[in-house]
């Protein structure tokens, strides 16, 4: 099956967006996780607006890339491949079988982690630090998924 012109244009657009979002997330991760980024630094975010902004940027970019990949690019790619587009869980299971992501379960863990980063921001610095540190690790997982999906589009000549 070959996607029509509109599907190909949507894939091209989403691949460009995903590339930018992935680069921005990796850049923010590099700036945020420097020496001295610890529970004490997190507990003083109110006194350090630049650090608070960097935390906000990391959390927002993490969530945005995950949303763009899982809610936009993946369904568009599955449709272009002639696969049935279904619920998020079904799409992620299919993406795992196709080798586009390593684990659907890990994807849902990342979703819960994102929610934890957002909601634990004010209340518990230790929980926030643990969530941010897990997010740092999962950034590589998101980046790999982005690379695989874009590579699939590219290999099929749809870019």
């Amino acid at each position: 099956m070959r996607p029509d012109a509109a599907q190909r244009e949507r894939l091209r657009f989403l691949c460009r967006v995903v590339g930018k979002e992935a680069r921005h997330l990796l850049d923010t991760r590099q700036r945020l996780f420097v020496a001295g980024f610890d529970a004490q630094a997190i507990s003083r975010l109110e006194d350090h607006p630049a650090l608070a902004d960097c935390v906000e940027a990391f959390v927002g970019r993490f969530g945005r890339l995950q949303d763009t990949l899982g809610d936009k690019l993946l369904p568009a790619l599955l449709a272009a491949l002639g696969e049935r587009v279904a619920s998020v869980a079904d799409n992620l299971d299919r993406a795992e079988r196709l080798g586009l992501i390593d684990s659907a379960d890990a994807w849902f863990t990342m979703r819960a982690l994102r929610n934890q980063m957002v909601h634990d921001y004010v209340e518990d610095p230790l929980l926030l630090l643990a969530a941010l540190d897990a997010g740092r690790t999962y950034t590589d997982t998101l980046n790999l998924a982005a690379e695989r999906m874009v590579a699939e589009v590219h290999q099929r000549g749809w870019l």
Side-chain angles (χ1 to χ4, degrees), residues 27-100:
D27 174 65
T28 304
R29 179 181 73 173
Q30 182 178 354
R31 288 184 290 115
L32 179 60
F33 294 99
V34 295
F37 184 73
D38 57 15
Q40 188 175 14
I42 292 286
S43 67
R44 295 189 321 253
L45 284 178
E46 289 182 25
D47 301 326
H48 299 281
L51 180 60
D53 288 347
C54 197
V55 168
E56 285 285 336
F58 178 79
V59 171
R61 290 173 175 171
F62 184 92
R64 194 166 26 262
L65 180 57
Q66 188 182 35
D67 287 346
T68 304
L69 287 170
D71 297 342
K72 295 179 180 149
L73 181 55
L74 179 58
L77 179 54
L78 290 175
L81 293 170
E83 299 284 340
R84 185 176 69 87
V85 177
S87 69
V88 172
D90 289 339
N91 291 346
L92 291 171
D93 285 339
R94 188 68 187 135
E96 183 178 340
R97 286 193 294 277
L98 292 170
L100 298 171

Side-chain angles (χ1 to χ4, degrees), residues 122-144:
V122 177
E123 293 298 317
D124 189 335
L126 291 176
L127 282 177
L128 177 58
L129 181 62
L132 289 169
D133 192 50
R136 173 177 55 176
T137 300
Y138 276 119
T139 299
D140 292 328
T141 302
L142 285 175
N143 193 55
L144 182 59

